[in-house]
Amino acid sequence: MILSKLKPEEQQFLTSLKILKDNFYARKDVVKIAKELLGKIIVTYFDETLTAARITETEAYNGVVDKASHAYNNRRTKRTEIMYAGGGAAYVYLCYGIHHLFNVVTNIKDVPHAILIRAAEPIIGIEVMLQRTLKKKLDYTLTSGPGNISKALGIYTHHSGTDLQSDNFFIADDGYRLSKNKIIATPRIGVDYAAEDALLPYRFFIKENKYVSGKRSL
């Protein structure tokens, strides 16, 4: 990313960020990381266009023991192999042949933990997000729901495997902090096939934030 090509306010915004490093992603507790990703900022710079959004909703997937995970029972496919590569990579897969869903790979090599980014609050590049999503005006649907957030930020399956410390695609901390009572936990959405694991409280979102998909309470 060439800072000189950006608007002054975009340059100022980027200089306020601290990119998350390997030690954030490589930890063992995927549930804890899913909570801590709330409030962090996804930044993309594709086609010389900067977009950014603050994460408001996540879902944790606990690898080989989690019946809702693509890696349950140590399943390995061409699509899911990136989950085994170690923390700090993007895992983007196609859902229903339409939606590109962005996940953050965590833990160490050969431990396939991942966190689905379900929603975020737009910060930079809102006009571009509207164009990408074919929406005429800004409302909470722009970046709520995992398919919408990926489309708004220009994230597609060809970005799967990208190092999330890359110049054009990263997650960062701007010092924003949430108190515990602002983090709501519920069961995940759309994982009824996972039997008892469908009931695990592995979905997290920021209380009273309008950029949240699905149910806003238990």
Side-chain angles (χ1 to χ4, degrees):
M1 189 186 308
I2 301 174
L3 287 178
S4 61
K5 290 188 176 183
L6 301 177
K7 300 173 184 176
E9 61 269 26
E10 293 175 336
Q11 295 180 27
Q12 184 177 5
F13 168 73
L14 287 175
T15 57
S16 71
L17 303 180
K18 184 178 181 180
I19 297 175
L20 300 182
K21 302 297 184 182
D22 291 341
N23 59 356
F24 179 89
Y25 299 110
R27 293 174 292 163
K28 294 181 179 180
D29 191 341
V30 68
V31 172
K32 182 177 182 180
I33 299 171
K35 292 178 186 177
E36 292 182 3
L37 277 173
L38 293 176
K40 301 300 188 289
I41 297 173
I42 306 169
V43 178
T44 65
Y45 184 69
F46 303 140
D47 300 320
E48 298 189 348
T49 301
L50 183 70
T51 54
R54 190 181 303 280
I55 298 170
T56 57
E57 183 181 0
T58 61
E59 283 183 348
Y61 288 84
N62 194 29
V64 300
V65 300
D66 185 347
K67 292 178 181 177
S69 171
H70 290 173
Y72 173 62
N73 202 26
N74 210 38
R75 186 187 302 118
R76 297 180 83 141
T77 67
K78 182 179 180 181
R79 182 182 75 168
T80 64
E81 192 61 28
I82 188 59
M83 296 177 71
Y84 293 83
Y91 168 42
V92 188
Y93 66 89
L94 196 62
C95 182
Y96 302 128
I98 301 172
H99 305 295
H100 298 248
L101 306 191
F102 167 45
N103 299 257
V104 177
V105 178
T106 66
N107 215 310
I108 60 174
K109 182 176 171 60
D110 291 325
V111 182
H113 290 174
I115 297 163
L116 173 65
I117 306 301
R118 286 198 58 89
E121 183 173 351
I123 300 174
I124 294 286
I126 292 173
E127 287 301 320
V128 174
M129 295 185 199
L130 290 170
Q131 292 170 15
R132 286 171 174 167
T133 57
L134 303 179
K135 293 182 180 293
K136 294 183 178 180
K137 63 179 182 178
L138 173 63
D139 61 27
Y140 74 94
T141 65
L142 178 64
T143 50
S144 66
N148 288 335
I149 181 61
S150 292
K151 185 182 291 186
L153 293 177
I155 300 170
Y156 294 95
T157 51
H158 65 263
H159 293 115
S160 195
T162 301
D163 181 348
L164 291 173
Q165 296 174 53
S166 302
D167 284 345
N168 66 339
F169 188 6
F170 59 85
I171 300 178
D173 187 347
D174 70 342
Y176 179 89
R177 294 292 180 268
L178 285 165
S179 58
K180 288 184 178 180
N181 66 351
K182 285 290 186 180
I183 299 175
I184 305 297
T186 77
R188 292 167 292 189
I189 295 173
V191 296
D192 294 345
Y193 59 85
E196 67 275 11
D197 287 353
L199 301 177
L200 294 169
Y202 283 1
R203 170 180 172 249
F204 305 99
F205 64 88
I206 299 176
K207 183 179 181 180
E208 297 174 349
N209 190 292
K210 66 181 180 179
Y211 291 95
V212 170
S213 66
K215 294 181 179 179
R216 289 171 168 78
S217 64
L218 283 169

